[in-house]
Amino acid sequence: MGLDPEDVFKDEEDDPDNEFFQQSESSKEYVVYLVDASPKMFNTTCPGNDQKDETHFHTSVSCIAGSLKTQIISRSYDEVAICFFNTREKKNLQDLNGVFVFNVAEREHLDRPTARLIKEFDCIEESFMREIGSQYGIVPGSRENSLYNALWVAQALLRKGSIKTADKRILLFTNEDDPFGSLQDAAKKDMTRTTLQRAKDAQDLGISIELLPLSRPDSEFNVSTFYADLIGLDGEDLAQFMPSASQKLEDMKDQLRKRMFTKRVVRRIEFHIANGLSIALNTYALIRPTVPGAITWLDSVTNHPLKTERSLICEDTGALIQEPPKLFQPYRNENVKFLPEEIAEIKRISPGKLRLLGFKPLSCLKDYYNLRPSTFVYPSDQEVVGSTCIFIALHRSMLKHKRFAVAYYGASSHPQLVALVAQDEITSAGAQMEPPGMHMIYLPYSDDIRDDEEIFPDTEEDAPRADEDQIQKAAALIKRIYVKDFSAFQFANPALQRHYAVLQALALAEDDIPETIDETAPDEEGLTRPAVVKAAEAFKLSVYGDSYDEESDMGKEKMSEASRKRKAIAENAAKDYDWGNLADKGQVRVEEFNSRRFESLLKCPQPSC
Amino acid sequence: MARNKEKLVLLLDVGPSMHGVLSEVEKLCSMLVEKKLIFSKYDELGVVVFGTEESNNDLTTEVGGYQNITVLQDIKVVDGDLVDTLQKLPRGTVDGDFLDAIVVGMDMLIKKYKDLHKGKKRLCLITNAIHPIKDPFEGSKEDQVMTIAEQMAAQGMKIESIVVRGRFSRDANKGVMDENDHLLSIFSKKTHTRTVYVDTPTSLLGALKTRRVTPVTVFRGHLELSPQMKIKVWVYKKTQEEKFPTLKKYSEKAPASNKLATHQVKVSYEYKSVDGSSNSVIPPEQRIKGYRYGPQVVPISTAEWDAVKFKPEKGIKVLGFTDASKIKRHCYMKDVYLFIAEPGNTRATLAVSAIARAMKEMNAVAILRCVWRQGQQNIVVGVLTPNISQNDKIPDSFYFNVLPFAEDVREYQFPSFNSFPASWQPNDQQQKAADELVQMLDLAPSGKEALLPEFTPNPVLERFYRHLELKAKQPDAAVPPLDETLKKIIEPDPELVAENKSVFDALHRHFELKQNPKLKKSSRQWYQEKQSGSNAHVSGGQAVNSIENQPPVKIEKIGDLTPVQDFEAMMSQRDNPEWVEKAIKELREKILALLIHPDGEDKYQKAVECVAALRKGCIIEQEPGPYNDLMHRIRQYCEEKGIKSLPQLLASRDLTLISKSEAEDSNVTAEEARSFFVKMEPKPDV
């Protein structure tokens, strides 16, 4: 079995050791979620996901719950605290009124998220009124200022760690754009001033405060009333901050998700444009397959983690090999030996440099020129002043002339010819959908491209081509199943979600594994609508005539000699998989499985690392 | 795999007009054999050259004719000698006849294999096809080619032609070329043919697939548009990276006398408790996999996982069609798949053709949900794009690529370019210079696309296999540098650069780059190391002479643009001790000039940087004199002119006199140095 992790998400060609897929774990993030729990948050509703109205409080809480679940998987070393304000009860180290820090056992207030935190927070709404309670904290005649208190508590929570090693943030959820609106002039002025000062103090300590405002469809959250000053917005930023009043809650969730990630530079590279003209770029991995976390091997008796010791043993003598061994390739009846450094030297071509070779029209970038996920590049003036200026100029020209750059990227482990495709900034409702910059697309070489579409036509006849009527019928069918608002990454990965759900159930000692929804399942209902069925039948008739059902037989008769041979080869190859058996096994297992086995499993102590 | 053995005859034109590219032909063909020696050891190969002075082939002895064709190597199982043969092809003296060569090659295959091994016999012709072929005794050339092509089809032979044109055939007769092209195209009507035209030595190296990969389907089954409408398809890989070969580890422990030694190395893994409480090894069956969930590790056995895992049904379903613009090119996650209709299934072919063409017309793509095989534990969602065939023989098909899931996307925010200060925004002239570059540094002028991926060899793999071949003969051979042909892949084409000299000149004129002077030393060092990184690395293997290892450019003068860097570079030129003196003198002058004519907004910033560099340099060289002199002059100058800001700047960066503790020759005490600027009594500002 070796060291190989679960190969669920591993494809044959994915190399886990490849630095390409690895990310640096440079800085941590500390986040305090500050949630307004005033009655207004409970009274105001908005149409939610399934058109049912949901309260702003619910929206905020479910946003945070979702983020926590993502975070525990993807960035579990970051630390969070959850804090409500405008509460009836109080719970905080400063003993301030109207502020309640939510926490669970075995966890500091600001700490890594745990299974228990997620589980209990998931059902916070059930117990909220009973245990925490909602109550306006800023009322005329009182000197209490729950917003001020909340910021103070949050700032105190974030006292931990240095801003050099951690990114500290307060994410504030509220639907009250004028928190001191109910107060008389003098009191209002005074509280506004002290609250802004409080926020400024926090910001001076390197804490950023971000606002997630909730609007009603009929009345928009007005940032400029108060919060613009608090979070330091002005001019254009202010105008861009609040998207249109019809902003959907979904967008807000998206925004939160976006804000959950801090940027991490993968690598700095030098982009060599001409002799003596090299600019500095940072590269970022914006899209990479997410895989379930690494496996930690445990001793099944004690549940203690195990370490792996690798040793190299000479097969001839049984001796242990200490020094890094030479490598060899059998060739011409002998073993040609290489030193590891020689292999590195062979691969070393323009190390660390991206060299511009020229430009081509975008139409030259064929759909099949792709090998791996792309890498995003963005200029930096940090080392070389003037880099950004050249980059912007090239970026504009490439967009204007619809051209991409071809360059040679001398990555140490994997030098490669790449295409640099300029991407213009795209914003929607104030949020950046596509950042401005260039995407580096890894191009194949001649030996990476196959021409399998050319293997079959060994008849003298031309290949069958659809006629105009068939194309029109196909177009009609396509129109029936056309999706207008498709986003390339709208689906959650069902296998990953299942994986997390199982982990969560085991970690939380739940009896049932939570249901996960496979968002990728086709819209069966939609596809059986009469209009779709009609279009499908019409297309079928135009291509297959009346004999669609006999299609498979027709195929066999016509199968060429070559394809019969190929089939034999493929069947041979397929012997590796025992498909039927695998499927059966899976079925049986599910039924056999019962929760008692889970219970016995969970009795083992779970080591924490 | 014996029945998969390929039988190949190379037909190589070595006539005088081919001499310019024969070294590339040699490299290409020897690479072909080198890879066969590793990946398809039992393939058989013969070599025919044409355009030779002599004639040596069966047909010329048996029936006469077939002049100037030499069988260099009869068909045999590939071996090392073949590589040697192909590495030194004879240079011919006459213009060869490619059609005769084809017949000779066919004759060799027929004699050796009769009508066996259909589909495994292949001819590979490399020629420029610029010389006319001989007229036949009867009928037209066309008829003759037709007959040969039919015979080829009947024997189950394939032919691949690589026609070298472009720069190498500039003076050739166009009429002859057209006729030859037409004749070659007849083959494709009758038999399985691949004809490619290449116009640079680099693309010639990439023109022949040097490694034969047996195509394997990823999926066979239905492409389901709706529950009623399914099309039978096969799915192949369209691109798949050819990896650097995995080398085995070699053990040198066995004594040299042991002739039977395998020299293999076994990698063994042992599992031990992390806390080190016991040093005992845990047997593999006692291990259990643990998965992290936040700070916890959750143990789950394989059996448990199997029971609860996600197990989708095999199948490919269309989730919907959408506008092509919705799918950004950079979202493609993987290498590319090819969807073709089930071979021989006319209806399915028509259905694929109709959908593909409709998609093309509507500029639509399909979103697919794929489970390639039963038992697969994940789902792939991706985008299907139409591939409309340009060749009448080849059916329409689709390409497919994997799209990211929500979890795979990191939506980082980046500053909008408009938000940058005006000094970072290109002005009109700069924009014009960039526009020129983007348009003029053109790799695809009028259909002649350079560096077409289809014809671009992988320079790393080329280098590896060449080095392998070299080492087989000479075990201590050093890694060879990339040759000129391969350099075209990693460096801009010198010809193209020369043609666009004015464009590059404009670029240099309008854009200025400098190292950030405010950068902290540590990060600057990073940058410098990075720049010289290759040199440092290479020094390990002295024989290595890679292209990166060029000596740094010699600095003869300290320029205005980057005086600090020039100074540092000049100081480090060790070939002549005079450089140090010259560097110090020139930088001093530069500093004084900067004082009198402050540069830009930062006023004295640049001067201060230079002072800092000079101070450092003088300490390293233990030459405090010139620097201390200069400092006195600066102080005097500032006092006279009533300049306060500069001394303050210098003092704030501790750029005071060099004291005795820093350089032995200095006669300044530490105390004097400290108070150097404090003592200054500037006249009141005028």
Side-chain angles (χ1 to χ4, degrees):
Chain A
M1 190 168 289
L3 268 182
D4 221 10
E6 189 72 9
D7 10 326
V8 186
F9 297 92
K10 212 183 131 208
D11 280 289
E12 303 76 64
E13 57 268 50
D14 290 348
D15 174 5
D17 298 331
N18 193 337
E19 58 167 333
F20 185 73
F21 288 103
Q22 285 173 4
Q23 284 182 71
S24 61
E25 201 68 52
S26 53
S27 74
K28 276 204 231 181
E29 191 171 88
Y30 295 148
V31 176
V32 175
Y33 292 103
L34 209 51
V35 184
D36 189 350
S38 74
K40 192 176 171 186
M41 287 288 283
F42 289 89
N43 301 337
T44 322
T45 58
C46 256
N49 265 344
D50 35 12
Q51 299 309 313
K52 262 190 264 170
D53 282 0
E54 55 184 41
T55 66
H56 279 162
F57 185 77
H58 174 83
T59 308
S60 310
V61 166
S62 59
C63 261
I64 295 168
S67 305
L68 288 177
K69 283 177 193 162
T70 315
Q71 193 202 330
I72 196 168
I73 303 293
S74 58
R75 314 220 5 188
S76 81
Y77 289 92
D78 290 345
E79 303 189 4
V80 294
I82 301 165
C83 177
F84 297 102
F85 66 102
N86 288 327
T87 54
R88 185 186 69 227
E89 306 297 323
K90 65 177 171 182
K91 187 180 151 214
N92 57 73
L93 288 175
Q94 292 74 20
D95 205 35
L96 296 168
N97 283 328
V99 180
F100 193 100
V101 178
F102 173 83
N103 203 3
V104 295
E106 296 169 33
R107 191 178 172 277
E108 289 177 38
H109 289 317
L110 181 75
D111 205 345
R112 298 168 62 184
T114 62
R116 189 189 292 244
L117 178 78
I118 289 176
K119 191 181 179 190
E120 292 188 21
F121 188 73
D122 251 352
C123 38
I124 184 137
E125 282 176 273
E126 291 164 26
S127 61
F128 190 86
M129 284 307 171
R130 191 172 63 246
E131 286 167 14
I132 302 174
S134 163
Q135 181 178 303
Y136 287 112
I138 302 166
V139 285
S142 151
R143 298 188 55 85
E144 280 300 332
N145 180 345
S146 52
L147 181 60
Y148 177 92
N149 291 351
L151 289 171
W152 189 356
V153 169
Q155 184 193 322
L157 285 168
L158 289 170
R159 199 171 289 152
K160 187 171 170 179
S162 148
I163 51 158
K164 283 192 186 122
T165 56
D167 193 9
K168 300 182 178 184
R169 303 195 293 167
I170 297 173
L171 297 181
L172 179 70
F173 293 76
T174 183
N175 62 355
E176 178 56 79
D177 54 11
D178 190 11
F180 308 111
S182 61
L183 303 182
Q184 295 302 316
D185 272 354
K188 181 174 178 177
K189 224 175 182 176
D190 188 45
M191 282 206 187
T192 305
R193 188 180 52 77
T194 51
T195 310
L196 291 180
Q197 187 55 45
R198 183 84 257 163
K200 192 173 176 304
D201 289 349
Q203 282 153 344
D204 287 347
L205 289 171
I207 298 170
S208 69
I209 303 178
E210 291 171 40
L211 177 69
L212 289 143
L214 296 118
S215 304
R216 270 180 308 186
D218 53 339
S219 78
E220 193 184 324
F221 190 102
N222 186 350
V223 194
S224 35
T225 314
F226 170 75
Y227 278 101
D229 290 337
L230 187 125
I231 56 177
L233 281 182
D234 51 15
E236 205 175 313
D237 287 343
L238 180 59
Q240 282 184 356
F241 185 80
M242 263 325 276
S244 66
S246 63
Q247 182 206 16
K248 286 182 217 138
L249 293 171
E250 281 309 304
D251 289 352
M252 205 195 73
K253 286 187 191 176
D254 279 352
Q255 281 192 22
L256 176 64
R257 196 157 59 84
K258 284 175 193 173
R259 288 177 198 190
M260 279 306 297
F261 294 103
T262 45
K263 271 185 284 190
R264 290 196 175 151
V265 179
V266 175
R267 183 159 288 126
R268 291 175 192 164
I269 55 174
E270 197 188 315
F271 183 25
H272 185 96
I273 296 167
N275 279 336
L277 215 56
S278 291
I279 65 171
L281 300 179
N282 287 336
T283 67
Y284 301 85
L286 297 191
I287 300 178
R288 288 294 178 272
T290 302
V291 291
I295 288 172
T296 308
W297 284 104
L298 305 174
D299 180 344
S300 60
V301 177
T302 61
N303 263 346
H304 286 307
L306 299 174
K307 65 180 171 195
T308 309
E309 285 181 3
R310 193 181 85 140
S311 44
L312 303 177
I313 296 164
C314 169
E315 288 206 346
D316 297 317
T317 60
L320 210 62
I321 299 174
Q322 304 289 354
E323 68 284 2
K326 280 187 184 168
L327 302 164
F328 76 97
Q329 169 72 51
Y331 180 71
R332 286 191 174 207
N333 300 323
E334 60 178 307
N335 292 330
V336 179
K337 295 182 274 285
F338 292 89
L339 293 168
E341 304 88 76
E342 280 180 293
I343 298 297
E345 176 55 31
I346 289 172
K347 293 184 182 176
R348 190 178 300 128
I349 296 178
S350 295
K353 282 200 189 89
L354 182 64
R355 271 191 103 123
L356 177 68
L357 303 179
F359 298 88
K360 292 182 184 181
L362 278 174
S363 58
C364 288
L365 187 63
K366 301 276 186 279
D367 277 338
Y368 58 90
Y369 294 165
N370 210 73
L371 291 173
R372 301 201 299 272
S374 60
T375 296
F376 183 70
V377 300
Y378 192 83
S380 159
D381 266 36
Q382 205 186 336
E383 286 94 24
V384 186
V385 178
S387 294
T388 307
C389 183
I390 298 192
F391 188 89
I392 294 177
L394 287 176
H395 183 260
R396 286 199 186 135
S397 301
M398 285 159 71
L399 285 172
K400 183 164 73 186
H401 298 292
K402 296 193 171 55
R403 291 171 83 86
F404 68 93
V406 178
Y408 192 81
Y409 179 36
S412 58
S413 68
H414 215 115
Q416 189 115 27
L417 210 53
V418 298
L420 292 170
V421 181
Q423 171 66 53
D424 206 2
E425 183 178 24
I426 299 176
T427 54
S428 163
Q432 190 176 55
M433 307 307 286
E434 292 286 349
M438 295 188 199
H439 291 280
M440 187 154 88
I441 290 168
Y442 300 85
L443 297 174
Y445 291 115
S446 94
D447 275 331
D448 306 332
I449 301 175
R450 300 176 181 179
D451 292 315
D452 291 351
E453 63 262 54
E454 295 176 11
I455 47 183
F456 294 107
D458 44 7
T459 54
E460 289 202 11
E461 294 152 35
D462 286 350
R465 289 273 190 269
D467 60 31
E468 198 47 40
D469 173 61
Q470 290 163 333
I471 295 171
Q472 285 318 310
K473 294 284 195 307
L477 175 60
I478 290 171
K479 275 184 199 128
R480 288 289 166 200
I481 32 185
Y482 212 77
V483 188
K484 279 214 179 65
D485 294 315
F486 183 81
S487 137
F489 33 85
Q490 66 183 28
F491 301 118
N493 181 344
L496 207 56
Q497 290 302 323
R498 178 76 183 164
H499 179 93
Y500 298 156
V502 171
L503 272 188
Q504 191 181 323
L506 289 173
L508 304 176
E510 282 168 352
D511 288 342
D512 305 316
I513 297 167
E515 278 296 309
T516 48
I517 301 156
D518 180 0
E519 296 169 358
T520 68
D523 174 14
E524 302 283 356
E525 204 178 311
L527 290 173
T528 51
R529 279 198 317 265
V532 178
V533 174
K534 211 176 134 203
E537 290 298 336
F539 174 59
K540 205 193 283 183
L541 194 68
S542 78
V543 173
Y544 292 83
D546 300 327
S547 55
Y548 177 75
D549 296 333
E550 301 143 36
E551 182 235 23
S552 46
D553 299 333
M554 301 271 307
K556 263 183 200 130
E557 276 167 34
K558 286 208 155 191
M559 196 183 273
S560 67
E561 188 205 6
S563 51
R564 245 199 305 279
K565 271 189 193 163
R566 297 197 24 72
K567 197 170 175 202
I569 297 166
E571 274 164 7
N572 242 2
K575 275 180 188 156
D576 291 350
Y577 308 112
D578 191 352
W579 290 356
N581 195 12
L582 272 176
D584 289 348
K585 252 193 193 157
Q587 291 301 321
V588 174
R589 269 284 157 70
V590 177
E591 279 152 24
E592 270 180 2
F593 186 75
N594 61 45
S595 58
R596 256 185 315 167
R597 294 176 61 187
F598 261 121
E599 279 164 30
S600 62
L601 186 76
L602 289 162
K603 278 180 190 138
C604 308
Q606 284 157 8
S608 62
C609 302
Chain B
M1 291 295 277
R3 62 200 183 89
N4 249 337
K5 285 188 295 184
E6 185 188 54
K7 291 95 177 64
L8 173 66
V9 175
L10 294 173
L11 310 170
L12 311 174
D13 188 344
V14 296
S17 59
M18 284 290 285
H19 288 187
V21 289
L22 276 186
S23 74
E24 268 69 42
V25 173
E26 286 170 342
K27 282 174 196 154
L28 176 65
C29 295
S30 47
M31 174 76 67
L32 177 82
V33 179
E34 285 161 24
K35 286 198 187 172
K36 279 187 186 292
L37 285 173
I38 295 171
F39 301 107
S40 359
K41 282 189 249 193
Y42 303 108
D43 280 5
E44 294 169 53
L45 185 91
V47 184
V48 175
V49 289
F50 58 103
T52 49
E53 181 80 50
E54 313 77 36
S55 310
N56 177 11
N57 62 75
D58 280 3
L59 287 178
T60 188
T61 354
E62 286 165 15
V63 299
Y66 299 99
Q67 297 294 311
N68 310 109
I69 299 176
T70 304
V71 176
L72 219 52
Q73 177 61 59
D74 277 321
I75 299 172
K76 67 166 178 178
V77 173
V78 288
D79 60 16
D81 296 344
L82 259 172
V83 180
D84 301 339
T85 305
L86 287 166
Q87 279 181 342
K88 38 178 199 290
L89 292 174
R91 271 34 180 182
T93 52
V94 291
D95 296 333
D97 180 327
F98 66 84
L99 196 63
D100 275 359
I102 289 175
V103 177
V104 169
M106 283 174 70
D107 177 61
M108 286 165 74
L109 286 170
I110 292 169
K111 284 202 175 113
K112 176 116 183 170
Y113 305 109
K114 311 288 182 301
D115 58 351
L116 301 170
H117 306 296
K118 282 198 170 139
K120 300 278 174 276
K121 290 175 286 189
R122 194 157 72 100
L123 294 165
C124 178
L125 170 72
I126 302 180
T127 178
N128 51 14
I130 58 172
H131 303 295
I133 60 166
K134 287 185 277 296
D135 281 314
F137 294 118
E138 52 191 66
S140 65
K141 289 180 183 176
E142 219 168 288
D143 295 337
Q144 199 189 8
V145 172
M146 198 79 85
T147 319
I148 294 169
E150 271 163 16
Q151 176 68 8
M152 217 180 257
Q155 296 284 337
M157 285 181 204
K158 301 174 185 173
I159 179 163
E160 177 165 6
S161 315
I162 296 170
V163 184
V164 188
R165 288 279 169 79
R167 305 175 194 195
F168 314 113
S169 55
R170 270 182 198 146
D171 309 326
N173 180 329
K174 186 154 187 317
V176 175
M177 285 199 286
D178 288 347
E179 184 193 47
N180 286 339
D181 291 350
H182 170 68
L183 294 174
L184 285 171
S185 74
I186 296 174
F187 282 107
S188 63
K189 294 212 176 75
K190 290 287 166 193
T191 178
H192 197 115
T193 314
R194 180 173 181 259
T195 306
V196 296
Y197 290 84
V198 295
D199 54 7
T200 62
T202 314
S203 51
L204 175 58
L205 285 184
L208 184 64
K209 302 246 184 286
T210 45
R211 178 161 172 205
R212 210 161 38 83
V213 184
T214 316
V216 179
T217 48
V218 178
F219 174 89
R220 294 177 191 208
H222 287 112
L223 169 63
E224 195 176 319
L225 278 104
S226 79
Q228 302 84 36
M229 182 62 227
K230 303 173 185 180
I231 306 172
K232 285 209 160 176
V233 293
W234 287 13
V235 180
Y236 288 95
K237 274 293 184 69
K238 175 66 187 170
T239 58
Q240 182 152 28
E241 187 174 351
E242 186 180 346
K243 290 275 168 71
F244 196 91
T246 315
L247 306 186
K248 295 194 185 110
K249 295 184 172 61
Y250 186 84
S251 164
E252 290 174 312
K253 296 277 180 195
S257 56
N258 182 357
K259 297 287 179 233
L260 296 172
T262 61
H263 298 288
Q264 304 257 0
V265 174
K266 189 174 155 234
V267 183
S268 95
Y269 295 100
E270 283 183 345
Y271 298 88
K272 290 179 180 169
S273 190
V274 168
D275 52 25
S277 53
S278 72
N279 207 25
S280 61
V281 174
I282 310 290
E285 62 276 10
Q286 197 184 314
R287 293 174 304 149
I288 186 166
K289 282 175 186 167
Y291 293 86
R292 283 191 180 281
Y293 191 73
Q296 287 163 285
V297 177
V298 183
I300 309 173
S301 75
T302 313
E304 250 89 28
W305 257 132
D306 284 346
V308 295
K309 252 178 210 164
F310 182 68
K311 293 184 214 63
E313 281 293 307
K314 177 192 173 187
I316 297 184
K317 292 179 177 176
V318 173
L319 298 180
F321 290 86
T322 192
D323 197 79
S325 65
K326 298 272 179 203
I327 310 297
K328 297 267 180 263
R329 185 63 173 71
H330 63 258
C331 287
Y332 286 15
M333 294 278 279
K334 282 191 67 171
D335 40 17
V336 185
Y337 297 86
L338 170 76
F339 278 55
I340 57 168
E342 184 181 61
N345 184 334
T346 311
R347 306 289 170 79
T349 310
L350 281 175
V352 166
S353 172
I355 302 278
R357 281 166 190 259
M359 280 162 72
K360 188 85 187 172
E361 274 177 25
M362 299 164 78
N363 195 25
V365 296
I367 306 302
L368 258 50
R369 171 196 198 266
C370 306
V371 180
W372 305 119
R373 51 180 198 268
Q374 199 65 41
Q376 179 179 319
Q377 287 151 4
N378 61 349
I379 279 177
V380 169
V381 170
V383 57
L384 192 74
T385 55
N387 172 32
I388 307 301
S389 171
Q390 304 301 321
N391 180 330
D392 289 342
K393 294 279 169 193
I394 298 171
D396 295 330
S397 55
F398 297 111
Y399 295 128
F400 175 82
N401 210 306
V402 176
L403 291 176
F405 284 113
E407 293 93 336
D408 305 336
V409 178
R410 276 154 237 165
E411 293 174 80
Y412 298 153
Q413 309 282 294
F414 288 84
S416 174
F417 287 160
N418 302 328
S419 69
F420 288 139
S423 63
W424 290 16
Q425 306 288 347
N427 60 33
D428 288 350
Q429 281 174 322
Q430 289 174 323
Q431 191 60 56
K432 193 160 163 277
D435 281 358
E436 290 268 295
L437 182 75
V438 170
Q439 285 174 290
M440 299 308 291
L441 201 64
D442 191 1
L443 292 178
S446 63
K448 282 217 164 97
E449 188 178 343
L451 292 174
L452 192 69
E454 274 88 340
F455 295 136
T456 306
N458 181 339
V460 174
L461 292 183
E462 292 276 331
R463 205 181 192 186
F464 172 74
Y465 287 109
R466 287 183 200 178
H467 189 43
L468 177 69
E469 168 64 25
L470 206 61
K471 274 206 145 197
K473 291 178 184 148
Q474 198 189 328
D476 55 352
V479 179
L482 279 190
D483 66 32
E484 285 304 318
T485 323
L486 293 174
K487 270 195 187 171
K488 296 273 167 55
I489 303 166
I490 66 158
E491 288 173 7
D493 183 353
E495 272 184 47
L496 189 60
V497 173
E499 278 166 28
N500 291 296
K501 188 173 177 301
S502 62
V503 175
F504 282 104
D505 287 347
L507 211 59
H508 281 289
R509 214 165 37 244
H510 293 298
F511 290 101
E512 191 195 351
L513 291 174
K514 55 184 173 193
Q515 260 188 46
N516 188 350
K518 290 170 197 142
L519 202 62
K520 289 205 189 79
K521 201 177 158 220
S522 58
S523 23
R524 174 132 27 107
Q525 250 169 5
W526 165 84
Y527 184 72
Q528 282 166 348
E529 271 164 26
K530 185 104 187 177
Q531 289 207 311
S532 57
S534 54
N535 293 344
H537 257 304
V538 175
S539 61
Q542 50 92 22
V544 169
N545 184 19
S546 85
I547 48 147
E548 264 60 60
N549 207 7
Q550 289 153 350
V553 183
K554 198 154 241 171
I555 302 288
E556 315 235 25
K557 192 176 178 331
I558 292 180
D560 284 322
L561 209 55
T562 53
V564 172
Q565 285 88 330
D566 292 356
F567 171 71
E568 284 169 356
M570 202 189 276
M571 291 286 277
S572 60
Q573 278 163 202
R574 287 295 171 200
D575 50 349
N576 188 338
E578 276 167 34
W579 285 123
V580 171
E581 211 182 301
K582 184 171 158 69
I584 292 175
K585 182 164 166 278
E586 286 204 27
L587 190 65
R588 264 181 56 136
E589 281 164 15
K590 191 108 292 167
I591 293 168
L592 290 171
L594 282 168
L595 286 184
I596 298 161
H597 305 288
D599 185 331
E601 282 177 20
D602 286 335
K603 243 182 157 179
Y604 296 115
Q605 189 63 42
K606 203 162 180 176
V608 170
E609 290 307 324
C610 292
V611 170
L614 184 66
R615 188 171 199 277
K616 196 173 137 206
C618 287
I619 292 174
I620 292 170
E621 295 301 329
Q622 293 288 297
E623 291 269 10
Y627 173 82
N628 284 351
D629 279 359
L630 176 75
M631 292 315 279
H632 283 290
R633 282 184 68 174
I634 290 179
R635 190 169 79 167
Q636 196 187 348
Y637 178 80
C638 290
E639 278 174 357
E640 278 168 18
K641 298 277 173 186
I643 300 167
K644 283 187 211 158
S645 58
L646 180 61
Q648 275 166 10
L649 255 174
L650 291 169
S652 71
R653 297 205 26 192
D654 284 338
L655 293 172
T656 170
L657 295 175
I658 296 176
S659 69
K660 205 167 177 60
S661 60
E662 289 170 300
E664 193 54 41
D665 288 350
S666 168
N667 47 18
V668 180
T669 65
E671 181 52 40
E672 272 177 64
R674 234 190 329 272
S675 57
F676 182 69
F677 284 112
V678 182
K679 278 200 215 144
M680 240 178 95
E681 287 170 4
K683 292 173 188 165
D685 279 324
V686 184

